[in-house]
Amino acid sequence: MADDGMLLNFAISDSVIKPEAKFKGGTWRDRLSAKKRSQHQPKPGDGGNKNHESKNPNKIAISGTRPAKRQKTEFNDFEDGGDRDRRPRSQQQPSQRDPRHFVSSLFTSNPEPQNAEGPRNDEPIEEAKPTNAPLIDGIDTFTNLGLSPSLAAHLLTKLELKAPTAIQKASITQLLKEESDAFIQAETGSGKTLAYLLPLVQRIMALSKATKEAGVHRDSGLFAIVLAPTRELCKQISVVLENLLRCATWLVCGTVIGGEKKKSEKARLRKGLNILVATPGRLVDHLDNTQVLDVSNVRWLVLDEGDRLMDMGFEEELHGIVQKLDARQRPCQVPGVPTRRTTILCSATLKMNVQRLGEISLKDAVHIKADPEDEDEKARNANKDEEESFRVPAQLKQSYAVVAAKLRLVSLTAYLKRTFIRKGSVMKAIVFVSCADEVDFLFEVFSRKHGERGHKKDDDGDDENESEENGEVKKEKEKERADLSPHGTIAPGSAFSNPANPVTLHRLHGSLPQHIRTFTLNSFANSKTASVMVCTDVAARGLDLPNVDLVIEYDPAFSADDHTHRIGRTARLGRDGRALIFLQPGCEENYVDILKRGYRDGGKALTRTDATEILKRGFGRSTESSSKNWEEKATDWQMDVERWALENPEYLEMARRAFQSHVRAYATHIAAERSMFNIKELHLGHLAKSFALRDRPGKINVPGLRPGKEETKKDFKAGRGSALGKRKAGDDTTGGANTDEAAREAARKMRAKMKEHMSGGASEFNLA
Ligand SMILES: Nc1ncnc2c1ncn2[C@@H]1O[C@H](COP(=O)(O)OP(=O)(O)OP(=O)(O)O)[C@@H](O)[C@H]1O
């Protein structure tokens, strides 16, 4: 066994593997020389041969030096680092076959982190006072802020909200007092939804009193529209609103969000609504095509996650909506309705200097923050560099791990294994990745059991018994999944479950049909047992999912703002929470500075998690363990997943798609951060390993490629080629203009597609 690079040996039986299958992986040169070596290989018993260890870390080396007792076939299972041949005895090959060995290169040639400094996460850090909790000083109550006694009583008795949060205090006071437009900006999980809904509901409830005779009812007119970028968020806002309106049953709210039959939405609009929650695309559709939608009385327009709505290509739709609202606005017959419309933008990452504000008449908007007198805030704003960054809740403990590309998958598995080792320490975790294909791939990897093959039928028939067995396993697995979810989006998280703490796995992305998205999200939200959700940014903003203790950013977010929202799914409303981000050695390490900016104290709550410790803790017995046992186990796990992918065309295809989409998505980091996520510095060969692929990316052909993808592929190749050339020439600082242009174009397309996802249907890139 090699000390460092773990060697696993497989005697390859000719009857099991066809000759051409023996030389997979590596470049064509590697395969050619491997073939030549094998042709000149001494027969068993002829004595040892020199072990040619590959310098290419992605290569599967073939060697003839291993003693016969270590031989295995590629189809053997490995448990606990063991080397037993698990096939039925009748099928086991005698060990006098040619000893050819695959070399696992998981622990070799990995780049080291450039900067190993920074406080480790096992060192004690000072507990920070929560910054997004309700104000429990007893002075601030909802009644004191000017809400009507009935609404305040409803909050206290029915919704069990005792005191406002700081942003609610600031916003209720301001929005009840004045008619001016407003920006509401406060940390994630600080109660911004109620911060804008409470004054809105109060104002509309007050109209009923002004209308003494008949009172306001659902036919009186649509007074407010709330826009949000995702259907999930719209539904969530709508639930909060419905709960509030239980104390004013004469007022009615509704949603138009797409993904549902337009006919039923039209019917709801026809019956009459006073407050409408909508995605921009669907609202535009109804404004254009639904005559019963009368917006002449709309006096409040709220843009929840306003920066996202402005950012993502929604601006055209927003512009259209505002123009139509302006054009159709009429004096209202209901007494007390203001003459002008108020617009409110709300987000944790709202920049006051957003361009295009003029287009939606927010020129003189008031900036409502949690605590305008906050000294830290003043100091922060004095610093120009940090002006663009946003705070995260102070009690949120963030850490980063610098993990080499090849070790990413195995490290994520190890981290989740460790996380769920004991019942109760972590209830729910969210794993964010960059694209839908990767979500699907990880879901399959994590829901399979170690050693499970899952292929239906062997082509050559040699594996027949095993095939039958696997067919049974597959059926069982399908049944198990069907019990959990009729849609295949929920499964046991076998890769990190243990008998004492079974974990349920969920997958969520924008390419799933809406009813499945809703079902899966509800299931995760309502789960009372340990659960993990692997998802794209479709779940990054605004969603209020209870008991999320941990957020893992396996793929860093496309922008620092998105990162703030992702980690904001935990540590909400004063509760504790943890977040971990995976960074690769090299330019990605510079992202740590951005992470630090989210804290008042320069990032004391930001720590470094040692990548080796993750593997040791996940695959070894204890941290102190000096044995290499954890390396063997990690390698064993990785090899097992690789074999599973190799043997199942369906999963291999899934892995390839995931890899391709991941690489494409990588090119879409915002321009300001692209130096930290430089596609030219990605080692595609290493990265492939974290998608269970032994092939280098150049050989990956995705069937059904649309026109344009081929081009993108060439661009990546060209980019890599030019980067390699430059590296050889000792200059890797600049890239080809063509590649930059291609990356920009890819980014533009991707963002347009993301927008589609956030509000509408699926796209070819499957990002959201
Ligand atoms: N005053 C309050 N007291 C207790 N709980 C509250 C209060 N206000 C809001 N909450 C609860 O806090 C949670 C977070 O609220 P909300 O989703 O509005 O936060 P947010 O600031 O909009 O977060 P994000 O920035 O992620 O969208 C919700 O579960 C909500 O019910």
Side-chain angles (χ1 to χ4, degrees):
M1 223 16 94
D3 312 340
D4 214 358
M6 168 73 192
L7 286 174
L8 288 179
N9 309 311
F10 304 91
I12 303 171
S13 151
D14 287 346
S15 63
V16 175
I17 307 173
K18 290 175 194 159
E20 57 272 25
K22 291 170 194 166
F23 305 108
K24 286 183 176 176
T27 62
W28 67 269
R29 272 178 224 280
D30 298 333
R31 291 195 304 279
L32 189 66
S33 55
K35 194 174 175 184
K36 280 185 184 159
R37 275 203 305 278
S38 75
Q39 280 163 356
H40 295 105
Q41 206 125 39
K43 296 225 156 50
D46 281 1
N49 198 7
K50 266 213 156 174
N51 188 8
H52 300 282
E53 236 191 273
S54 165
K55 285 216 167 88
N56 176 352
N58 200 42
K59 172 177 148 185
I60 298 163
I62 296 178
S63 151
T65 55
R66 292 286 141 193
K69 67 173 182 170
R70 307 293 303 170
Q71 291 169 10
K72 296 172 194 163
T73 72
E74 201 196 356
F75 292 98
N76 285 357
D77 282 346
F78 296 81
E79 284 291 348
D80 306 318
D83 56 6
R84 299 179 296 276
D85 186 343
R86 284 164 187 273
R87 292 175 307 145
R89 281 201 179 279
S90 60
Q91 291 176 39
Q92 290 186 15
Q93 298 300 318
S95 61
Q96 65 269 22
R97 294 262 174 205
D98 280 358
R100 295 166 195 168
H101 310 294
F102 286 114
V103 176
S104 164
S105 56
L106 200 59
F107 289 98
T108 57
S109 308
N110 284 319
E112 289 294 321
Q114 288 172 358
N115 186 1
E117 284 163 23
R120 288 172 46 140
N121 75 335
D122 44 10
E123 290 165 13
I125 51 166
E126 219 178 285
E127 290 294 322
K129 209 173 133 221
T131 44
N132 55 5
L135 303 165
I136 45 161
D137 51 14
I139 304 163
D140 300 296
T141 63
F142 286 111
T143 325
N144 290 355
L145 299 179
L147 290 185
S148 70
S150 64
L151 187 53
H154 179 68
L155 291 174
L156 187 65
T157 55
K158 301 285 185 237
L159 306 184
E160 294 178 11
L161 305 178
K162 295 185 181 73
T165 61
I167 190 63
Q168 288 164 359
K169 177 183 169 186
S171 117
I172 294 168
T173 318
Q174 168 65 30
L175 296 176
L176 288 181
K177 184 177 73 186
E178 282 179 27
E179 303 279 326
S180 47
D181 295 336
F183 292 98
I184 301 176
Q185 193 237 310
E187 288 168 11
T188 50
S190 57
K192 290 187 290 297
T193 314
L194 284 176
Y196 65 76
L197 282 183
L198 283 172
L200 203 75
V201 168
Q202 159 97 7
R203 295 290 296 267
I204 298 174
M205 279 172 76
L207 296 178
S208 305
K209 290 189 187 126
T211 323
K212 283 192 186 105
E213 289 138 33
V216 166
H217 46 84
R218 68 185 304 168
D219 286 338
S220 304
L222 179 63
F223 300 117
I225 295 178
V226 179
L227 293 176
T230 64
R231 297 169 188 165
E232 282 77 7
L233 189 49
C234 283
K235 285 193 175 181
Q236 185 179 292
I237 296 166
S238 163
V239 169
V240 177
L241 190 51
E242 276 166 20
N243 285 337
L244 281 185
L245 292 184
R246 291 225 170 93
C247 71
T249 46
W250 59 93
L251 296 176
V252 179
C253 66
T255 54
V256 293
I257 55 174
E260 284 182 32
K261 283 193 182 135
K262 234 164 50 176
K263 219 171 145 192
S264 52
E265 288 185 348
K266 274 186 184 175
R268 271 204 297 275
L269 292 172
R270 188 170 296 114
K271 279 188 186 168
L273 299 172
N274 307 112
I275 305 174
L276 179 66
V277 184
T279 51
R282 194 61 156 203
L283 180 62
V284 168
D285 192 341
H286 282 293
L287 284 172
D288 290 342
N289 303 310
T290 308
Q291 283 193 348
V292 287
L293 175 60
D294 175 5
V295 291
S296 61
N297 295 323
V298 173
R299 295 298 187 269
W300 290 276
L301 175 65
V302 181
L303 310 182
D304 199 346
E305 304 299 342
D307 54 332
R308 174 58 100 204
L309 290 174
M310 303 281 215
D311 244 21
M312 253 185 29
F314 281 115
E315 67 267 27
E316 213 175 289
E317 279 160 5
L318 282 185
H319 191 42
I321 290 170
V322 172
Q323 272 185 341
K324 283 181 183 114
L325 293 184
D326 284 344
R328 297 180 194 179
Q329 186 166 322
R330 300 275 175 275
C332 186
Q333 303 304 315
V334 179
V337 171
T339 45
R340 80 172 279 277
R341 193 178 60 244
T342 300
T343 306
I344 300 163
L345 257 81
C346 174
S347 176
T349 50
L350 204 55
K351 294 179 181 79
M352 283 294 285
N353 60 354
V354 185
Q355 295 294 307
R356 295 184 293 272
L357 281 187
E359 291 172 17
I360 59 163
S361 334
L362 265 161
K363 272 184 189 138
D364 303 315
V366 182
H367 192 184
I368 304 174
K369 289 188 284 182
D371 186 357
E373 296 308 316
D374 189 333
E375 288 303 317
D376 293 338
E377 181 89 12
K378 277 188 203 159
R380 195 170 67 103
N381 284 340
N383 184 340
K384 187 90 180 66
D385 278 351
E386 294 185 6
E387 215 167 79
E388 293 292 290
S389 60
F390 295 97
R391 281 181 185 168
V392 299
Q395 77 276 17
L396 169 56
K397 294 193 177 78
Q398 253 193 102
S399 74
Y400 61 92
V402 181
V403 179
K406 274 196 282 183
L407 294 169
R408 275 168 54 79
L409 182 60
V410 81
S411 300
L412 175 62
T413 310
Y415 193 80
L416 288 168
K417 260 174 182 279
R418 181 72 195 183
T419 296
F420 291 102
I421 202 150
R422 272 194 306 274
K423 211 180 183 88
S425 59
V426 168
M427 183 66 152
K428 287 182 202 165
I430 301 181
V431 179
F432 282 105
V433 300
S434 60
C435 53
D437 290 330
E438 199 175 348
V439 170
D440 291 342
F441 167 70
L442 289 178
F443 182 78
E444 288 303 332
V445 169
F446 291 151
S447 58
R448 71 181 281 279
K449 294 188 180 106
H450 188 77
E452 175 189 307
R453 290 288 185 274
H455 54 302
K456 287 169 199 155
K457 188 103 178 85
D458 244 19
D459 290 342
D460 56 13
D462 281 350
D463 215 9
E464 211 173 287
N465 289 344
E466 197 174 17
S467 270
E468 274 170 26
E469 249 173 60
N470 285 325
E472 287 304 309
V473 170
K474 190 157 182 151
K475 266 189 218 154
E476 225 172 84
K477 190 173 162 181
E478 275 163 11
K479 192 184 165 302
E480 210 173 9
R481 275 194 193 181
D483 289 346
L484 286 167
S485 145
H487 312 296
T489 50
I490 306 172
S494 308
F496 35 76
S497 288
N498 63 66
N501 193 22
V503 185
T504 311
L505 184 65
H506 298 69
R507 72 184 166 105
L508 185 77
H509 55 71
S511 297
L512 294 165
Q514 187 54 46
H515 69 284
I516 300 181
R517 271 162 71 164
T518 309
F519 173 89
T520 310
L521 198 63
N522 286 346
S523 164
F524 182 71
N526 300 329
S527 170
K528 299 275 179 282
T529 54
S531 303
V532 170
M533 181 165 77
V534 185
C535 60
T536 57
D537 279 348
V538 76
R541 281 202 178 230
L543 294 188
D544 186 51
L545 304 164
N547 301 322
V548 175
D549 304 302
L550 172 68
V551 169
I552 300 176
E553 291 185 275
Y554 183 53
D555 297 340
F558 296 115
S559 72
D561 288 356
D562 290 344
H563 157 77
T564 305
H565 289 280
R566 280 174 166 195
I567 60 173
R569 295 319 98 209
T570 186
R572 297 176 74 74
L573 215 84
R575 290 185 202 100
D576 287 341
R578 283 194 289 135
L580 171 73
I581 183 167
F582 277 59
L583 299 172
Q584 292 184 45
C587 59
E588 288 193 13
E589 288 176 66
N590 296 328
Y591 198 64
V592 173
D593 288 337
I594 295 213
L595 300 178
K596 279 185 190 161
R597 284 189 206 160
Y599 289 94
R600 289 162 180 76
D601 55 8
K604 279 185 203 152
L606 179 71
T607 54
R608 181 176 57 85
T609 300
D610 188 85
T612 309
E613 286 303 308
I614 291 179
L615 286 168
K616 275 189 191 173
R617 283 167 180 262
F619 285 101
R621 256 177 243 113
S622 77
T623 333
E624 308 310 322
S625 167
S626 59
S627 94
K628 292 277 177 190
N629 198 24
W630 58 271
E631 273 192 15
E632 289 177 18
K633 285 182 181 171
T635 308
D636 182 24
W637 187 89
Q638 172 79 23
M639 296 293 277
D640 189 52
V641 178
E642 286 178 21
R643 281 195 302 277
W644 161 80
L646 269 177
E647 291 166 17
N648 293 280
E650 178 192 343
Y651 297 132
L652 188 62
E653 177 58 22
M654 195 176 256
R656 287 171 170 175
R657 275 187 182 280
F659 175 84
Q660 292 224 337
S661 298
H662 171 92
V663 174
R664 274 192 219 110
Y666 197 88
T668 68
H669 281 272
I670 59 163
E673 293 169 21
R674 220 169 284 151
S675 64
M676 289 169 265
F677 299 100
N678 184 353
I679 191 144
K680 284 172 241 153
E681 286 204 15
L682 265 191
H683 193 308
L684 299 182
H686 283 201
L687 191 66
K689 198 137 185 93
S690 69
F691 287 86
L693 293 171
R694 288 175 180 176
D695 282 342
R696 290 176 69 98
K699 288 196 292 154
I700 296 171
N701 296 314
V702 177
L705 274 184
R706 285 158 185 265
K709 282 195 178 177
E710 209 47 69
E711 277 165 38
T712 319
K713 201 165 80 176
K714 277 185 204 144
D715 287 337
F716 284 128
K717 274 191 193 169
R720 180 147 169 68
S722 70
L724 282 174
K726 291 217 163 68
R727 245 177 262 150
K728 273 182 201 147
D731 171 15
D732 60 353
T733 52
T734 52
N738 286 346
T739 318
D740 283 350
E741 189 47 47
R744 265 197 296 279
E745 180 58 14
R748 194 193 60 73
K749 278 188 189 163
M750 200 81 74
R751 283 182 192 289
K753 292 291 174 188
M754 277 175 75
K755 187 216 117 187
E756 263 177 46
H757 272 291
M758 299 302 266
S759 63
S763 83
E764 68 177 300
F765 293 106
N766 291 342
L767 258 187

